[in-house]
Amino acid sequence: MFVSKLALCLFLLFKFAIGEDPYRFFDWTITYGDINPLGATQQGILINGQFPGPDIYSQTNDNLIINVHNNLPDPFLISWNGVQQKKDSWQDGVHGTNCPIPPGKNFTYHLHLKDQIGSFFYFPSLALHKAAGGFGAIRILSRPMIPVPFPDPAGDFTVLIGDWYKTNHKKLQARLDRGIRLPPPDGILINGHGPNGASFTVDQGKTYRLRISNVGLESSLNIRIEGHSMTLVEMEGTHTIQNTYETLDVHLGQSLSVLITADQPVRDYYIAVSTPFSRHVLTTTAVLHYSGSNQPVSGLPPERPTNTDYSLLQARTFLTNLSASGPRPNPQGSYHYGSIPVTRTIRLANSAAIVNGKKLYAVNSVSFVDPDTPLKLADYFKIDGVFNLGGITDYPTDAALHMDTPVMDADHHAFVEVVFENREYWIQSWHLDGYGMFVVGMDTGEWSTGDRTIYNLLDAVPRCTVQVYPQSWTAVYVALDNVGMWNLRSETWERRYLGQQFYLRVYNPVNSTRNELPMPSNALLCGRAAGKSTLI
C-alpha cells in the first residue's frame, strides 16, 4: 500500500513539474438500490449511493480520472454525452468502442477535457440501464483568464430533466427484445424527483445559472418558470446570443444553460416541465423558492405550448455569440466554418419496419446489430467479420430494411455536410460522439440542394445533439478533425436499442499520436479480442 501511494505521489509530482493539465480523481461504485421517484419503490442504479449520480465539476483541459467499480450483477459502461474525447475514442464508453466492465470488476476512464467548456451529462450506455438511473451532470468551467460573456451568477444549478418509467428496466428491455414498442412513460423527473420534489433556493434580486439537460429515454421536453424569463447563454459548450425566452424546448440528449433573475415578490414559483409533442401529455413541477418565503406554490403551473410550430421557429433563433471567447481567448467567430469547402454530403434517413414480427428501426435501410467484439478493438487488431466497412450508404435507398453491423468510413480532415431526413411523424434526436455539428439549417418537407440557399453560414451553434422535426430535415456541417470510431445514434432509446445507429470511422493512415492516442494499457479485451495484448 505504501509503495502504491508513493508511486502515485511521484507520478503527480512529475505531472505538475512538467506543467501538464490538472488532474481530478473520482472513485465511483455502481450498485442497485431502492428509489421511489414517482411514489412506487423500484430498482435504481446508484453511483456512490446517489440517484442521480454526483455532479462532475471541472475546468477546461482538466484530466478526469474516474475509477468505476461495477457492483451490479450485469456488465456496465458509462458514456460522456458531449465530451469530445479528442484523439481518444478509447474512452467513449459505448459498446462499439469499449468492452463492458464485468460484474465485480472496475475500469478507470481517463477523460481529457481538451478545449471544452459548457454543460453536459454522463449516462449508462448498455441495454436499458439508462431507464434505471446511473446518469449525472458534467460542468466544464472556463479557465480563470478566459472572459465569460456574463457576470458570475450568484448560484449555478444542475437541472436534469427526463421522462421516467415505473417499470423495471429489465422488463422494458425484455419487451424491446420481443420487438414490442415501449408504452408511454409514466412521468417526468427533475433531478430524480417527481412533482414538487426538487427545489432551488434563490435570493431576491440575484441572478442564477441553470444548466438543463434532457437525460430521458423517449420525450422532448419543454421547460418554463412561473413569472420569470430565461436568458439563453450556452448550448453544449458554445456561448450563445443572449436571447430571452418564456419557454424552451430541450430535446433528448441536449444540454443548455440559462440565466434567471429573482426579480419577483418573495414567494415560491413553479418550474414546469412538459412533453410538448406527445399525444400522451406529461407534466411535472419543481419549486423556485425565494429565501424567506412562507408562501408555497399554488394554483396551476404555467401552461405548456400547444402549437408545436413555435419549436422550429425558436430553434432558428439559437445563434453563436461570435465576439465571446470559448474555451480559448480568441473569439468563437474566428472559426469561419461557412467558408470551408464541403468535401462530402451524407444524407441519413430514419425508418421503421416490422421484420419477422418484430419492430426494428434503421438508418438508410440498415438496422444496426451489436457485435460480439467492440468495433474499435476489431479495427485495431484487424479482426475480420466483426463489422461491415462501407455497409451503410451516403444517401437513403429504397431497399428493404435489413440487419447489419455497418461502419461508415471517413477521411481525417474531411469537411462534411450531413442532412438528417425525417420522413416519419415523430420528432427525432440525433447524437454524434466526438464532435460538435454546426446546425446550419432546418425546415419542413423534403430536403433538396436548393435548400442550401437558406443555410446559416455565419453564426450557427455547434451541437453534439440535434433535433429533426416530423416530416422535416436538419442539415449540419462537421469538420472531421477527431480520429476514432464514433457512435452516431438516435437519442430515443427504443430506436437506438432496436437499430437506429451506426459508427463513423474517421481514419488517417499515418499511425501517429498527433492523430490518435494509443490504446490505453488498461483497456478491457473481450469477444474475439480476448487474450490479445494491449502493448501492440
Side-chain angles (χ1 to χ4, degrees):
M1 178 64 72
F2 174 77
V3 173
S4 63
K5 288 185 177 179
L6 178 64
L8 177 60
C9 291
L10 292 173
F11 169 77
L12 293 176
L13 285 172
F14 173 74
K15 292 290 185 182
F16 292 132
I18 62 175
E20 190 168 345
D21 293 325
Y23 280 69
R24 298 176 190 262
F25 294 87
F26 304 83
D27 198 65
W28 288 356
T29 299
I30 314 300
T31 59
Y32 282 132
D34 287 344
I35 58 174
N36 57 350
L38 292 179
T41 300
Q42 61 187 113
Q43 183 185 66
I45 292 178
L46 312 180
I47 301 179
N48 292 351
Q50 299 180 45
F51 169 78
D55 283 7
I56 292 178
Y57 292 83
S58 59
Q59 186 174 284
T60 301
N61 294 343
D62 279 353
N63 291 278
L64 307 184
I65 308 300
I66 306 174
N67 188 14
V68 177
H69 304 264
N70 178 20
N71 284 2
L72 304 181
D74 316 300
F76 187 78
L77 277 177
I78 294 180
S79 191
W80 320 91
N81 214 70
V83 176
Q84 293 180 357
Q85 316 286 6
K86 300 289 178 66
K87 304 192 299 182
D88 199 8
S89 63
W90 296 108
Q91 306 295 334
D92 204 30
V94 290
H95 189 64
T97 58
N98 294 84
C99 292
I101 306 170
K105 302 295 183 181
N106 73 297
F107 176 74
T108 302
Y109 293 90
H110 180 177
L111 313 181
H112 187 200
L113 306 179
K114 179 69 174 174
D115 291 337
Q116 285 196 265
I117 57 171
S119 310
F120 308 98
F121 66 91
Y122 60 86
F123 67 96
S125 63
L126 295 183
L128 267 289
H129 284 160
K130 193 179 182 187
F135 46 74
I138 303 171
R139 60 180 67 183
I140 309 175
L141 304 178
S142 297
R143 290 171 290 171
M145 72 288 292
I146 307 298
V148 174
F150 50 87
D152 286 342
D156 193 333
F157 296 115
T158 290
V159 185
L160 300 178
I161 59 177
D163 54 18
W164 190 257
Y165 289 90
K166 295 179 182 178
T167 304
N168 182 277
H169 68 98
K170 291 189 176 181
K171 291 184 178 179
L172 295 175
Q173 181 180 349
R175 182 184 178 109
L176 293 180
D177 288 339
R178 296 195 302 271
I180 303 172
R181 292 195 61 191
L182 295 179
D186 295 303
I188 298 171
L189 304 188
I190 301 177
N191 286 353
H193 296 279
N196 292 344
S199 181
F200 304 88
T201 299
V202 297
D203 293 333
Q204 189 181 41
K206 294 183 179 181
T207 297
Y208 296 83
R209 182 173 183 170
L210 275 59
R211 298 175 185 263
I212 306 166
S213 296
N214 186 338
V215 298
L217 296 171
E218 296 287 305
S219 307
S220 294
L221 295 174
N222 176 271
I223 186 168
R224 55 243 181 248
I225 304 175
E226 180 186 7
H228 296 75
S229 298
M230 297 175 286
T231 300
L232 184 68
V233 293
E234 175 255 333
M235 303 185 92
E236 293 162 14
T238 296
H239 290 128
T240 61
I241 294 293
Q242 295 179 16
N243 294 324
T244 298
Y245 303 89
E246 302 303 316
T247 177
L248 276 168
D249 284 348
V250 188
H251 302 281
L252 283 166
Q254 293 184 343
S255 299
L256 54 83
S257 288
V258 299
L259 298 179
I260 63 165
T261 299
D263 55 5
Q264 298 299 304
V266 173
R267 66 177 182 87
D268 291 356
Y269 296 85
Y270 283 115
I271 300 173
V273 178
S274 299
T275 51
F277 306 111
S278 173
R279 296 173 184 172
H280 180 71
V281 178
L282 297 172
T283 296
T284 197
T285 51
V287 176
L288 184 69
H289 172 73
Y290 276 56
S291 296
S293 167
N294 57 10
Q295 185 177 349
V297 291
S298 61
L300 297 175
E303 292 186 358
R304 74 182 185 112
T306 55
N307 178 4
T308 56
D309 292 342
Y310 81 91
S311 188
L312 173 60
L313 298 176
Q314 181 184 87
R316 290 174 175 164
T317 68
F318 301 153
L319 304 171
T320 294
N321 184 338
L322 298 179
S323 62
S325 297
R328 294 185 176 187
N330 49 302
Q332 294 178 139
S334 59
Y335 181 71
H336 302 289
Y337 69 89
S339 62
I340 302 174
V342 170
T343 59
R344 180 178 177 184
T345 295
I346 301 169
R347 296 169 51 209
L348 302 174
N350 48 275
S351 61
I354 302 295
V355 178
N356 297 326
K358 294 184 177 182
K359 189 80 170 184
L360 291 177
Y361 299 98
V363 188
N364 289 358
S365 301
V366 185
S367 184
F368 187 86
V369 178
D370 277 324
D372 60 8
T373 304
L375 309 179
K376 184 65 180 169
L377 291 178
D379 193 39
Y380 181 81
F381 289 116
K382 297 180 172 53
I383 302 172
D384 293 332
V386 173
F387 61 85
N388 183 2
L389 188 63
I392 185 168
T393 60
D394 282 13
Y395 49 87
T397 70
D398 295 326
L401 187 151
H402 62 283
M403 302 171 71
D404 199 354
T405 305
V407 171
M408 180 178 286
D409 212 12
D411 295 330
H412 187 207
H413 298 309
F415 191 79
V416 301
E417 171 191 41
V418 181
V419 183
F420 297 99
E421 302 180 18
N422 181 14
R423 301 168 184 176
E424 298 183 69
Y425 292 94
W426 315 103
I427 191 167
Q428 304 291 318
S429 193
W430 286 95
H431 176 90
L432 176 59
D433 284 346
Y435 286 95
M437 304 176 281
F438 288 91
V439 186
V440 295
M442 58 176 62
D443 206 350
T444 57
E446 292 189 13
W447 179 85
S448 71
T449 56
D451 288 314
R452 292 173 177 147
T453 60
I454 67 170
Y455 282 5
N456 177 359
L457 301 182
L458 177 64
D459 55 1
V461 179
R463 308 205 60 181
C464 61
T465 308
V466 298
Q467 74 273 20
V468 192
Y469 294 97
Q471 296 185 297
S472 300
W473 57 267
T474 295
V476 301
Y477 282 174
V478 189
L480 298 182
D481 56 2
N482 197 10
V483 171
M485 187 76 74
W486 304 108
N487 189 211
L488 180 58
R489 62 178 177 267
S490 172
E491 282 291 316
T492 306
W493 221 242
E494 170 186 308
R495 300 185 75 103
R496 188 241 191 184
Y497 185 81
L498 294 180
Q500 192 175 315
Q501 63 167 315
F502 66 91
Y503 283 78
L504 179 72
R505 185 184 79 154
V506 179
Y507 179 71
N508 191 313
V510 178
N511 185 12
S512 167
T513 55
R514 290 186 177 182
N515 298 327
E516 184 175 24
L517 297 178
M519 176 190 288
S521 60
N522 70 330
L524 300 175
L525 302 180
C526 59
R528 285 180 254 179
K532 295 187 179 292
S533 173
T534 61
L535 303 178
I536 290 179

